[in-house]
């Protein structure tokens, strides 16, 4: 559990693309961010109040969150200066970087001296159980994709936001470092030991009220040969009542795998649903989320209509048109 | 790579059931074992020459292999006495126990003083890559099961032995601690970090001669909700040309999962084959291996015939009747 609110550290990020984590926090948990702090030459701007460490502290900030991916995986001396000063002032630090805060001697020393916590959210800190498959109370929705990086996290976050707006009971359940930094907790599934993957998802989505929905962040794809095992653990450990199929229609091959073509949405449905029903016989596919960012508006609308007619399920781009119809579909089961 | 030959340590094992690892080595790699060593009260006997550490050393033994599962996960003082003496004499030690040799200070100290190696085969020692899905030369066969512990390792070992006898090119590829101790190397897949599972299997089964077969040890089951992700990584990382379906017909529910019934062999075939073809479009299901240990001979023969007729594939119990027909099926593709 990472203490909120945050001050978002943008460092010397060259552009907004590098600031994915910070953007996610600003968009999905704006109450978590009191402001942003940049170094000279920073090319990213979230449009939040630019603050010094002192100003953010006065505004209540508890944790300095590294909101950018750095180049070459190095925590530079320029970054260190800010991070160490933050620890001296009583901040915790949270990071999803590949190179860990805990491997930096000077950060560890400063954290120990000043009683701060270094959160490396890529590294599991819980001893997860082996999955036992016992039926849990409450409901769960899992986003599964035809490929990696097709919008599964965005879909779950958008559905959670819509459900909150409607006064429904829901929780976004993060399974990757960006999601964990956005919400402050979760399971870094890709770093969990094989035998405990499904158990970590059972742990993440425990018994709940009968009308509560966990929106589980998907990872990988059952069709992505590098990461399909991770996805499988979500399908079985998540015990989903509902699946949302996610797709990006312009992709020419599976991400990072030239020569591997994407499955169709039908193939995804016909593979994922029978597998999911092993863990939850009541599971249904309730809707389709399409990432239409590379299509024009007219093209996107036509594509969504074609998919909707073909599959007999609501097909939406939650980024363009909102997640309302996906939530309607969830609410109906 | 564990140095051979071995002296097999049986400790104070209560019975033969506890000596699964030692039995596996005796049965599948008899040339690896110069003899056995037991403590007073040992209820297991492999029928090998009982030797002192000195006698085995004189016979060429390089590694003392812990061939038994211990109770309560504790390496007892009585065991320690033998293990430390072995290290003092220049042995390495290999173990698949949950509690690690490397966590025992006195063993570590003795190993360092005398230049010995402690092999904890449950723990990966290689930084595996992320799977890249590039097509590899040579052929691969993977055993997949309707459940865990239905005879997948036995099937692969029996096929490998038969292929060696016929002068075919084959290698058994271990993916669990027993298999690793039997052959001296492999990947402890259930202990690999999620993101690297499929990559570890690519690493284990590299390019080879066009007529060489890797017989990959299966793990878990696509239908076992606790471990299905591990199995999925084998199906995709293994890039199999051939699948063998493994089944135990008397089991009443999935191992460790009361309330979860086993899939049919048809369901296993129809789930595993399309997934495997994502990694290798040429993949075929070539045969069925049935563990008939709980059936009488007549009942077993009748069951195998029924399965063979129903599935249109050779169905054998390699323990009762040999793996010859499964190898015939492999050789035919």
């Amino acid at each position: 559990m990472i203490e909120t609110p945050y001050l978002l550290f943008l460092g010397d990020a060259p552009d907004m693309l590098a600031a994915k984590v910070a953007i996610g926090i600003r968009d999905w948990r704006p109450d978590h961010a009191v402001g942003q702090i940049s170094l000279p030459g920073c090319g990213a701007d979230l449009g939040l109040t630019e603050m010094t460490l002192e100003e953010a502290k006065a505004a209540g900030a508890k944790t300095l969150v590294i909101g950018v991916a750095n180049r070459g995986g190095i925590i530079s001396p320029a970054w260190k200066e800010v991070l160490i000063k933050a620890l001296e002032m009583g901040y915790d630090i949270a990071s999803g970087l590949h190179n860990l805060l805990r491997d930096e001697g000077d950060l560890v020393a400063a954290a120990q001296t000043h009683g701060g916590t270094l959160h490396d959210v890529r590294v599991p800190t819980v001893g997860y159980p082996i999955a036992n498959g016992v039926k849990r109370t409450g409901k769960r929705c899992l986003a599964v994709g035809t490929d990696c990086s097709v919008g599964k996290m965005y879909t779950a976050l958008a559905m959670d936001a819509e459900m909150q707006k409607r006064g429904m009971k829901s929780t976004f359940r993060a399974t990757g470092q960006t999601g964990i930094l956005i919400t402050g907790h979760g399971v870094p599934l890709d770093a969990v030991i094989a035998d405990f993957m499904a158990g970590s998802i059972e742990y993440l989505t425990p018994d709940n009220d009968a009308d509560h929905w966990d929106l589980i962040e998907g990872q990988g794809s059952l069709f992505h040969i590098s990461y399909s095992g991770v996805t499988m653990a979500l399908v079985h450990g998540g015990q989903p009542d509902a699946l949302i199929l996610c797709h990006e229609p312009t992709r020419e091959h599976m991400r990072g795998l030239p020569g591997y073509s994407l499955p169709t949405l039908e193939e995804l449905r016909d593979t994922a649903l029978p597998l999911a029903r092993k863990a939850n016989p009541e599971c249904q596919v309730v809707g389709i989320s399409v990432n239409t960012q590379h299509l024009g508006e007219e093209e996107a609308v036509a594509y969504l209509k074609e998919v909707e007619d073909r599959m007999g399920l609501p097909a939406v781009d939650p980024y363009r048109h909102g997640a309302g119809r996906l939530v309607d579909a969830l609410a109906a089961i």
Side-chain angles (χ1 to χ4, degrees), chain A:
Chain A
M1 202 78 180
I2 303 168
E3 273 205 88
T4 56
Y6 305 153
L7 173 62
L8 302 182
F9 178 69
L10 301 179
D12 42 11
D15 51 38
M16 284 297 274
L17 274 180
K20 182 176 152 189
V21 168
I23 294 169
I25 295 168
R26 177 199 65 187
D27 290 350
W28 298 109
R29 293 292 183 273
D31 295 351
H32 282 189
V34 303
Q36 66 184 35
I37 179 169
S38 329
L39 291 172
C42 182
D45 181 359
L46 300 173
L48 301 179
T49 312
E50 180 78 23
M51 291 183 170
T52 63
L53 289 172
E54 290 78 2
E55 288 164 346
K57 189 85 190 163
K62 298 269 195 291
T63 304
L64 184 71
V65 171
I66 298 184
V68 292
N70 57 353
R71 277 193 268 205
I74 288 159
I75 299 179
S76 69
W79 282 32
K80 282 275 182 73
E81 211 175 298
V82 180
L83 303 187
I84 288 173
K85 186 172 167 205
L87 288 165
E88 288 168 354
M89 290 173 62
Y91 281 91
D92 293 340
I93 303 181
S95 161
L97 297 175
H98 266 293
N99 49 328
L100 304 180
L101 301 172
R102 69 182 63 173
D103 291 340
E104 303 292 325
D106 44 3
L107 296 183
V108 172
Q112 282 175 350
T113 306
H114 301 283
T117 301
L118 303 176
H119 297 280
D120 287 303
V121 302
R122 272 181 193 268
V123 183
T125 52
V126 171
Y128 300 115
I130 286 178
N132 64 24
V134 173
K135 175 74 184 157
R136 307 194 288 291
T137 54
K139 289 178 181 293
R140 285 156 201 88
C141 174
L142 174 67
V144 292
T146 52
D147 193 4
C148 299
S149 309
V150 291
K152 296 184 297 293
M153 182 180 80
Y154 190 97
T155 300
L157 281 164
M159 290 176 69
D160 177 48
E162 174 70 18
M163 292 169 89
Q164 294 290 322
K165 214 169 72 184
R166 295 189 189 184
M168 296 170 71
K169 293 182 192 165
S170 71
T171 310
F172 170 77
R173 299 295 189 184
T175 61
Q177 58 268 9
T178 304
I180 295 171
L181 287 171
I182 290 174
T183 59
H185 52 95
V187 167
L189 184 57
D190 62 10
V192 172
I193 299 282
D195 252 4
F196 304 98
M197 293 186 300
S200 76
I201 302 305
E202 291 190 347
Y203 171 93
L204 180 68
T205 60
D207 280 333
N208 216 317
D209 296 345
D211 58 346
H212 176 277
W213 280 95
D214 278 330
L215 285 312
I216 307 173
E217 180 191 356
Q219 293 292 337
S221 165
L222 292 170
F223 296 87
H224 195 293
I225 61 100
S226 310
Y227 308 116
S228 52
V230 179
T231 314
M232 186 67 128
L234 283 159
V235 169
H236 281 163
Q239 217 170 77
D241 300 271
L243 296 177
I244 305 281
L245 310 181
C246 299
H247 186 52
E248 203 281 73
T250 69
R251 203 162 288 180
E252 289 178 356
H253 60 74
M254 297 293 286
R255 192 173 162 91
L257 299 175
Y260 283 82
S261 58
L262 269 71
T264 61
L265 282 162
E266 285 87 343
E267 204 179 348
L268 174 60
R269 175 194 64 201
D270 296 344
T271 300
L273 186 58
L275 290 169
R277 285 187 170 162
K278 287 289 153 187
N280 184 347
E282 308 299 318
C283 187
Q284 299 176 41
V285 175
V286 299
I288 297 164
S289 174
V290 181
N291 178 343
T292 63
Q293 67 175 315
H294 299 300
L295 304 180
E297 175 69 17
E298 208 170 309
E299 216 180 355
V301 169
Y303 182 81
L304 290 167
K305 179 168 175 353
E306 186 271 314
V307 168
E308 182 150 338
D309 292 348
R310 205 177 80 215
M311 304 284 293
L313 290 165
V316 304
D317 180 338
Y319 188 81
R320 276 183 195 252
H321 309 122
R325 294 184 61 222
L326 297 176
V327 171
D328 294 344
L330 263 202
I333 72 169

